[in-house]
Amino acid sequence: MALSRLNVEQYAAATSTDNQNLIIASAGTGKTSTIVGRIAHLLNTNIKPQEILLLTFTNKAAAEMVERVAEYFGKDVAAKIDAGTFHAVSYRWLKKYDKRVVLKQQRELKTLFRSVYEKRSFMQIDAEVTPYGGNHLYDMYSFYQNTELHDNFEDWVKIKYEEHEQFALIYADIVDEFEDLKTEYGFVNFNDLLLNFRKMCESTNLGYKEVLVDEYQDTNALQGTLIDAMNPPSLFCVGDYDQSIYAFNGADIGIIGSFSKKFPDAKVHTLTKNYRSSRPILSLATKVIEHNERIYPKNLEVTRNDVAQAPKLLVFDELFDQYHAMAAQIRDTQTPNEDIAVIFRNNSSADGIEVGLRELDIPCKRKGGTSFFDAREVKAILDLYTLLVNEADMMAFIHIFEFARGIGSAMAKEMYIALKNLGSGSMFYGLYAPDESIRNPFEKRKLNSQLGLFDDFAELGAVGKYAKLGFEAKFMKNPVLKHPKLTKDSATFLHNFYRLYRDLKGVKQPRTIVRKIASSEFYSYISDALSTKRATLKDGSIDEKQKTESLTRITRKMLLLEELAKPYSEHERFLNAMILGSSDLTQGEGVNLLSVHASKGLEYKEVYVVDLMDGRFPNRKLMQRGGSLDEERRLFYVAVTRAKDILYLSYAKYDKIKKQNFMASQFLYEAGLVPKDDAYRAMVLKDMDKDEE
């Protein structure tokens, strides 16, 4: 059974009779086995599987744990355990009670937010500072939702950004209008899922006897209050304060640090036996992380007794020499590619090593940079598909029409609402069978100069200017063509949109839908626009070879998307798999190129941590924007503890392109790999002075 495989510490934690338990599980100490053991214990004590909630930070982690439970109790029992991320669980519960709820990605709602923002003016306010742009304001609001528990947004802005106090009222009103639009269309983002689910928990007994939380150190204030709102009879939290690396996303290390204070009767268990890394690797990681303040005491014990290779420092004179030499070393190693990881702190580092590997024809897969599903050409296909399934998805429409020359998010929103007005609530009816008695389908806004609202809508235009463009007669009668800012180019874009969806009518196979969209004149415009942009040089000219290569890459992505659609026969199932599951899908095989954050929870026989130069790792820029040296040190700890047997740490002394000299990372000094010289002491003193400030 699952419990029989646990060591003494793991068993004591898994079988605890206390109502609140905190398990400090350092890297490689078997936290997953402990969680699976705990679930086995609950089932053995007659807790029903549907009375167990397992919260994880990836759906993949949840699936793996449930799969291990199934080995002992069968798939039918394991399938009844409610397991998933905070967001996945929240979505399931909200969807159960309200079918209108539509989950939108951040990028989509950011576009909606901009459509509201772009209709505001700040010119009437005489201020010394420039107001925040739409994208930045959206990110601010998202951070506010994750971290703020008391103040409203306007007051929060005034307190946190005093220099923007004059704009706070307009910022808050933009947020209010944005939230009203989301409510009207049933849109929710990831923050909304948690906020709305928390509200549900406050008034509904979910029936859970125990809630288990994995990676507890990465919970943010909002997630913390959600757990509180559930108020489960029993709470089992597993984490490691040394692996708290999501402060940039609102994660609060104070949550795990104050667990004992919050629950005075709680039991704290510490797992001390490391099963992953060799003694020299763990020794190096410990030397560095001990420079951080200890929240809970722990002394790790290495269980492996095999002969181990000491971590090796690789030093290079020039930045790109590092990448090429590392690629050559990976080529010559005996370790299989799939068991090798190159871990980076900055995307530029990943670009360098990827080029080096490709030059030697070494296959690699990258996680933590731009994925297949993040490519704009793929997103465009999925947005077009989304409208086919759910025409009420205004965000999909806006996102598509941002490709049209002369149409921004605000104008796209106006056109969508106009089409809905013309179709008595249906956008497609408004497109194909508009109510021609409606002369002006465009909504007038209520003006309020205090909130930055001004009338910039001109008189309706004439459609005669489109007479020679070859539009279908029926389409020419649509009042939406009277929008005063619609140009010949944007009208042609709309006409091709009209033709595309007429051709898609009645097509039932997802694979066929993808193929038809990808081969359409409408999508050809999008792919040409993307490839042209990517091939545009600094002087404004187009590199035709680069454009051709870009078009080829887009075509390949479309073929891959078509293959992904092949197993599906239902439109909604295909879309859900692409939208919700895309983050867990990986492409190809080969050497793993991972950001530190993407490497979390993984392990490899051979690991390279690159660009360990001061400024890059630790990343001084991010430290200045709200990060900390402690957080950077935890990132280093996570990176090196991914290694089981072989660990290489590398840095370069010079960047010939930027003509920049580098000194070794502070962590290499702390690890004892570089002698502590005057440069190191000056660096430490500088950090101490900043802390005092």
Side-chain angles (χ1 to χ4, degrees):
M1 292 296 289
L3 289 164
S4 65
R5 299 184 178 183
L6 303 181
N7 65 34
V8 174
E9 293 170 346
Q10 294 167 340
Y11 185 87
T15 59
S16 172
T17 57
D18 295 277
N19 291 332
Q20 291 90 28
N21 292 276
L22 175 63
I23 292 79
I24 304 299
S26 297
T29 56
K31 72 172 178 78
T32 300
S33 297
T34 305
I35 292 173
V36 172
R38 178 63 175 182
I39 295 172
H41 171 71
L42 294 173
L43 294 173
N44 289 337
T45 54
N46 297 319
I47 301 293
K48 297 176 182 176
Q50 58 268 32
E51 295 174 333
I52 300 171
L53 172 62
L54 171 61
L55 292 170
T56 62
F57 275 77
T58 67
N59 288 315
K60 183 180 178 183
E64 287 174 353
M65 291 184 200
V66 170
E67 191 175 323
R68 287 179 60 175
V69 172
E71 293 175 9
Y72 305 106
F73 294 92
K75 290 183 179 180
D76 290 342
V77 171
K80 293 178 182 177
I81 297 170
D82 200 358
T85 63
F86 281 85
H87 299 101
V89 170
S90 300
Y91 190 46
R92 287 199 293 269
W93 275 100
L94 294 173
K95 203 71 171 171
K96 183 178 178 180
Y97 288 95
D98 186 359
K99 299 294 185 185
R100 285 184 66 252
V101 172
V102 179
L103 177 62
K104 306 304 295 182
Q105 301 294 330
Q106 291 288 68
R107 65 174 180 90
E108 298 176 285
L109 289 180
K110 186 175 281 190
T111 301
L112 179 63
F113 189 90
R114 286 200 309 271
S115 76
V116 176
Y117 178 94
E118 288 169 8
K119 286 297 183 181
R120 305 299 174 116
S121 173
F122 298 87
M123 297 297 292
Q124 75 278 15
I125 297 175
D126 184 19
E128 294 182 0
V129 298
T130 303
Y132 290 128
N135 286 340
H136 185 79
L137 185 60
Y138 179 89
D139 292 338
M140 272 176 56
Y141 180 54
S142 181
F143 188 80
Y144 160 81
Q145 288 184 304
N146 274 322
T147 57
E148 181 55 44
L149 303 176
H150 306 292
D151 293 322
N152 61 48
F153 186 64
E154 183 182 349
D155 291 339
W156 182 80
V157 170
K158 290 178 179 177
I159 295 168
K160 200 167 181 69
Y161 305 94
E162 291 183 25
E163 66 278 18
H164 285 256
E165 183 177 356
Q166 293 168 280
F167 304 126
L169 180 62
I170 298 179
Y171 291 164
D173 196 66
I174 291 169
V175 164
D176 288 343
E177 185 177 342
F178 171 64
E179 290 294 339
D180 288 343
L181 279 169
K182 283 163 58 185
T183 301
E184 181 181 351
Y185 290 96
F187 296 158
V188 294
N189 63 13
F190 288 101
N191 288 336
D192 297 324
L193 291 179
L194 304 191
L195 288 165
N196 296 347
F197 186 44
R198 184 180 68 183
K199 191 179 293 184
M200 179 187 292
C201 291
E202 290 169 350
S203 58
T204 307
N205 184 351
L206 305 180
Y208 298 125
K209 295 289 181 63
E210 176 158 305
V211 173
L212 300 93
V213 186
D214 188 21
E215 304 288 4
Y216 187 61
Q217 77 280 347
D218 290 327
T219 52
N220 59 38
L222 176 55
Q223 292 162 339
T225 59
L226 175 56
I227 296 170
D228 293 341
M230 292 181 185
N231 193 28
S234 182
L235 184 62
F236 191 86
C237 299
V238 183
D240 179 15
Y241 50 89
D242 287 335
Q243 297 185 72
S244 178
I245 59 174
Y246 286 95
F248 71 92
N249 204 29
D252 183 0
I253 196 172
I255 293 175
I256 189 172
S258 62
F259 189 89
S260 297
K261 185 177 180 180
K262 186 174 184 177
F263 302 107
D265 297 327
K267 180 75 173 179
V268 178
H269 307 262
T270 303
L271 308 183
T272 62
K273 297 184 185 300
N274 181 284
Y275 295 94
R276 177 187 298 159
S277 302
S278 67
R279 190 177 302 278
I281 292 172
L282 193 63
S283 175
L284 182 147
T286 302
K287 278 183 186 177
V288 176
I289 201 63
E290 282 179 343
H291 285 76
N292 281 2
E293 183 182 356
R294 304 288 80 197
I295 300 176
Y296 297 100
K298 62 180 179 181
N299 293 296
L300 292 182
E301 175 189 340
V302 178
T303 60
R304 293 174 51 179
N305 294 313
D306 52 336
V307 178
Q309 176 179 314
K312 188 174 181 180
L313 178 63
L314 307 174
V315 184
F316 301 91
D317 290 330
E318 206 280 322
L319 191 64
F320 282 89
D321 291 345
Q322 172 192 209
Y323 303 138
H324 293 304
M326 192 173 294
Q329 184 155 326
I330 290 172
R331 177 195 59 195
D332 298 336
T333 186
Q334 298 301 307
T335 305
N337 286 341
E338 290 72 27
D339 210 10
I340 299 173
V342 180
I343 300 177
F344 55 89
R345 179 69 180 94
N346 309 287
N347 283 326
S348 58
S349 304
D351 294 338
I353 187 63
E354 187 172 11
V355 168
L357 291 168
R358 298 292 185 195
E359 285 178 350
L360 297 178
D361 292 324
I362 300 171
C364 61
K365 52 184 178 181
R366 183 168 168 177
K367 191 173 183 182
T370 302
S371 74
F372 171 81
F373 293 92
D374 288 331
R376 289 194 69 192
E377 54 267 36
V378 175
K379 289 177 178 177
I381 291 279
L382 296 179
D383 281 329
L384 288 164
Y385 207 127
T386 296
L387 276 180
L388 192 67
V389 174
N390 178 19
E391 65 165 288
D393 195 331
M394 179 174 67
M395 282 313 307
F397 183 94
I398 292 175
H399 213 66
I400 291 163
F401 273 78
E402 283 188 315
F403 283 103
R405 195 179 293 117
I407 297 182
S409 54
M411 183 175 168
K413 186 177 75 168
E414 288 177 1
M415 289 174 61
Y416 178 85
I417 293 171
L419 288 170
K420 273 192 71 178
N421 290 338
L422 290 167
S424 301
S426 166
M427 183 272 292
F428 279 129
Y429 271 112
L431 185 63
Y432 294 103
D435 184 347
E436 295 179 23
S437 67
I438 300 176
R439 290 191 67 256
N440 185 0
F442 301 101
E443 292 186 335
K444 288 282 186 178
R445 290 170 290 128
K446 293 181 180 179
L447 309 182
N448 187 326
S449 61
Q450 188 183 11
L451 299 178
L453 291 168
F454 298 90
D455 190 7
D456 64 351
F457 198 90
E459 294 295 319
L460 292 178
V463 299
K465 58 185 176 181
Y466 310 129
K468 297 181 179 180
L469 297 180
F471 294 166
E472 295 178 21
K474 188 176 180 182
F475 176 77
M476 282 287 287
K477 295 180 180 179
N478 199 306
V480 80
L481 290 174
K482 296 179 181 179
H483 193 292
K485 295 183 181 179
L486 202 66
T487 65
K488 291 179 181 180
D489 284 338
S490 52
T492 301
F493 189 87
L494 180 62
H495 183 246
N496 287 337
F497 178 84
Y498 172 94
R499 292 172 59 194
L500 171 64
Y501 280 93
R502 186 183 59 193
D503 294 343
L504 295 177
K505 188 177 180 181
V507 180
K508 296 184 177 172
Q509 291 298 320
R511 187 182 185 188
T512 308
I513 292 284
V514 172
R515 187 190 303 128
K516 279 183 170 289
I517 293 175
S519 61
S520 68
E521 186 176 355
F522 181 82
Y523 188 76
S524 178
Y525 178 95
I526 292 174
S527 59
D528 186 77
L530 287 171
S531 57
T532 299
K533 185 177 180 180
R534 293 165 183 174
T536 301
L537 304 177
K538 288 183 178 179
D539 62 1
S541 63
I542 309 296
D543 185 326
E544 292 298 333
K545 184 181 177 182
Q546 194 172 331
K547 182 179 177 179
T548 301
E549 290 174 352
S550 179
L551 284 168
T552 302
R553 286 193 292 271
I554 290 173
T555 301
R556 286 175 180 167
K557 284 190 172 80
M558 295 307 101
L559 292 171
L560 179 56
L561 192 61
E562 191 180 325
E563 283 300 304
L564 289 172
K566 194 174 178 181
Y568 297 92
S569 57
E570 298 176 21
H571 298 314
E572 287 203 7
R573 280 186 167 274
F574 169 66
L575 265 181
N576 288 342
M578 296 302 101
I579 294 170
L580 286 175
S582 62
S583 60
D584 292 332
L585 294 176
T586 57
Q587 292 178 261
E589 296 180 350
V591 176
N592 300 276
L593 305 184
L594 304 167
S595 68
V596 181
H597 293 92
S599 76
K600 184 82 176 291
L602 304 176
E603 60 182 35
Y604 300 91
K605 178 181 176 65
E606 188 169 332
V607 169
Y608 298 77
V609 185
V610 300
D611 279 354
L612 281 161
M613 294 89 78
D614 186 66
R616 288 203 170 196
F617 200 171
N619 189 314
R620 300 284 177 183
K621 286 184 180 179
L622 293 179
M623 286 167 58
Q624 293 169 3
R625 296 173 190 167
S628 69
L629 183 60
D630 281 0
E631 172 114 345
E632 292 292 316
R633 194 175 280 114
R634 291 194 293 270
L635 283 160
F636 178 81
Y637 178 80
V638 167
V640 300
T641 54
R642 300 310 95 195
K644 295 190 290 185
D645 301 329
I646 304 169
L647 174 64
Y648 294 102
L649 306 170
S650 77
Y651 81 96
K653 297 178 181 179
Y654 184 66
D655 180 353
K656 64 183 179 184
I657 297 175
K658 293 184 177 180
K659 295 182 171 50
Q660 179 182 2
N661 290 304
F662 296 115
M663 66 178 291
S665 166
Q666 181 169 338
F667 307 142
L668 295 177
Y669 289 99
E670 293 173 354
L673 296 174
V674 178
K676 294 182 178 179
D677 54 9
D678 290 342
Y680 166 74
R681 283 184 280 274
M683 182 167 53
V684 172
L685 285 171
K686 190 176 179 181
D687 285 332
M688 290 174 64
D689 290 341
K690 286 181 180 177
D691 290 341
E692 288 176 3
E693 289 174 6

